[in-house]
Amino acid sequence: MTNRSVDLRSDTVTQPTPGMRAAMQAAPLGDDVFAGDPSVNALQEKIAAMLGFEAALFVPTGTQSNLCAVLSHCQRGDEYIVGQMAHAYRWEGGGAAVFGSVQPQPLNHQADGSLSLTDIEAAIKPDDAHFARSRLLALENTLGGKLLPLAYVQAATALVKASGLNRHLDGARLFNAAVAQAAQTGSDARTEARRIAQCFDSVSVCFSKGLGAPIGSALCGSKAFIARAHRIRKMAGGGMRQAGGLAAAASYALDHHIDRLADDHALASRLADGLAGIEGLQVEAPQTNILFVDLTGAAKSQSAALLKHLGDHGVQATGLYRLRFVTHLDVDAAGADHAVAVIRQFFNS
Ligand SMILES: *Cc1c(COP(=O)(O)O)cnc(C)c1O
């Protein structure tokens, strides 16, 4: 076995490519708090136009983007409907409740990652002084690497709209969803990204995940919505000054790194195929760039030893009994094959 190393912990671990670094270096800069950074302005216009919104706001993280979104849609004492496993509920420190007094109404996911329409409908509260005001549905796509079916997204967002709720998409990996959806429809990823985004009143997109930029997300919505989000971003300390270099990296990613997400999806499948049939491993077929592998039966007790073996052989992943492998810009076929070989060696010995 080679002494190669491969980092499959997350698609956030990528290094900017030489082309991206050159774009960052060349970016014209200004003070974005005075709305005077041409590179930030250009990025905001580009992503808004791409997804079909009036305006966009560049923010340092996806967490801040979701926070600005929920607090712009909701007032104190309002409620947002969200999945139990959604990043905006589970992995963001409860920020909407802490900073906005906005109460989450979490729902369990179905096997395909969706929230059932029946559950959503039942969670919308009547206008009654006993209840928090149902104000927003927040979906996530992809969720744990799963593509929500477009027909479902259309039905869920139409359902809540009819009850007067707003719709927010945590599209940290919107372009992974779009590339996977394009493979199904035969259309192109940009068209599919827009088709998904247009079901929502606001969409958050991460540049720092599969798109391979070092930092940044964008929140898209109407002009009035983005004006409110801008105020929240200021309160959250997210007003950045000469941020154009970071915006230029994100802009470069939109130009060069969308279609190549298909390579990451193919590598996740390659990993899954390589691990198929190992006794003690249950491999979930990946839909995009995230692969989950459960340890079953006796293999469960070997979890710590397996993780040590992986670490000793340069393979980084997360999880304990449910391992997560994420493919990205800095993983190639040789890296994926190395991970497979290391895992196979463990179970053969
Ligand atoms: C990564 C991620 C975010 C935002 O994460 P940050 O680390 O704050 O940029 C939000 N939602 C989802 C689904 C994510 O995967």
Side-chain angles (χ1 to χ4, degrees):
M1 206 161 1
T2 58
N3 56 3
R4 177 182 281 288
S5 70
V6 58
D7 190 344
L8 298 162
R9 288 174 301 168
S10 175
D11 46 8
T12 57
V13 301
T14 55
Q15 295 283 321
T17 62
M20 183 178 280
R21 286 175 193 265
M24 295 172 76
Q25 179 76 32
L29 306 179
D31 190 328
D32 181 53
V33 173
F34 293 111
D37 188 296
S39 303
V40 170
N41 291 338
L43 171 68
Q44 291 175 163
E45 282 161 28
K46 179 189 261 181
I47 186 72
M50 207 169 165
L51 298 181
F53 288 95
E54 283 177 0
L57 187 67
F58 185 49
V59 287
T61 65
T63 298
Q64 191 175 100
S65 192
N66 284 329
L67 181 70
C68 289
V70 176
L71 269 55
S72 299
H73 283 298
C74 302
Q75 301 289 319
R76 296 183 69 211
D78 287 352
E79 185 173 86
Y80 70 112
I81 298 169
V82 64
Q84 280 284 359
M85 296 304 287
H87 200 280
Y89 168 63
R90 199 178 189 92
W91 307 96
E92 296 182 3
V98 173
F99 298 121
S101 300
V102 180
Q103 164 168 293
Q105 167 60 72
L107 299 179
N108 289 327
H109 297 272
Q110 302 187 101
D112 67 356
S114 66
L115 310 175
S116 91
L117 299 182
T118 315
D119 289 353
I120 292 174
E121 198 164 18
I124 300 174
K125 316 281 192 297
D127 182 5
D128 177 313
H130 291 87
F131 301 124
R133 290 172 301 251
S134 301
R135 186 71 71 198
L136 178 70
L137 171 70
L139 294 181
E140 183 176 319
N141 198 9
T142 61
L143 179 116
K146 286 181 173 148
L147 169 67
L148 297 182
L150 181 63
Y152 164 76
V153 172
Q154 289 168 333
T157 50
L159 170 71
V160 302
K161 187 180 178 169
S163 298
L165 275 69
N166 290 333
R167 294 92 27 105
H168 173 66
L169 176 66
D170 179 353
R173 297 190 177 86
L174 171 64
F175 288 105
N176 292 90
V179 164
Q181 195 163 290
Q184 293 174 358
T185 62
S187 175
D188 64 281
R190 281 160 193 78
T191 303
E192 297 300 340
R194 193 185 172 100
R195 193 171 276 162
I196 298 167
Q198 282 302 300
C199 297
F200 296 88
D201 300 294
S202 61
V203 173
S204 173
V205 179
C206 284
F207 302 114
S208 57
K209 300 273 166 83
L211 290 178
I215 281 181
S217 290
L219 179 61
C220 303
S222 70
K223 277 197 177 124
F225 170 84
I226 291 299
R228 294 198 297 280
H230 193 172
R231 183 178 287 271
I232 309 281
R233 186 187 72 172
K234 171 50 80 180
M235 288 188 239
M240 299 183 285
R241 301 288 179 176
Q242 285 75 35
L246 300 171
S251 187
Y252 180 92
L254 289 175
D255 292 342
H256 300 278
H257 291 171
I258 292 178
D259 294 319
R260 65 150 306 285
L261 291 169
D263 302 344
D264 299 346
H265 300 180
L267 277 185
S269 292
R270 185 181 178 110
L271 263 174
D273 292 346
L275 297 176
I278 297 178
E279 166 99 36
L281 292 189
Q282 193 171 320
V283 181
E284 248 178 43
Q287 296 178 13
T288 58
N289 68 326
I290 302 180
L291 172 68
F292 286 101
V293 177
D294 289 305
L295 301 189
T296 60
K300 257 185 147 168
S301 62
Q302 294 176 286
S303 173
L306 171 60
L307 287 169
K308 181 175 184 314
H309 178 81
L310 291 180
D312 288 347
H313 293 87
V315 178
Q316 290 180 275
T318 60
L320 187 57
Y321 302 121
R322 180 170 173 79
L323 302 179
R324 191 182 82 148
F325 301 94
V326 186
T327 54
H328 51 75
L329 196 57
D330 291 348
V331 181
D332 58 12
D337 292 349
H338 175 67
V340 168
V342 168
I343 295 166
R344 287 207 162 267
Q345 185 203 44
F346 178 82
F347 285 99
N348 286 339
S349 63

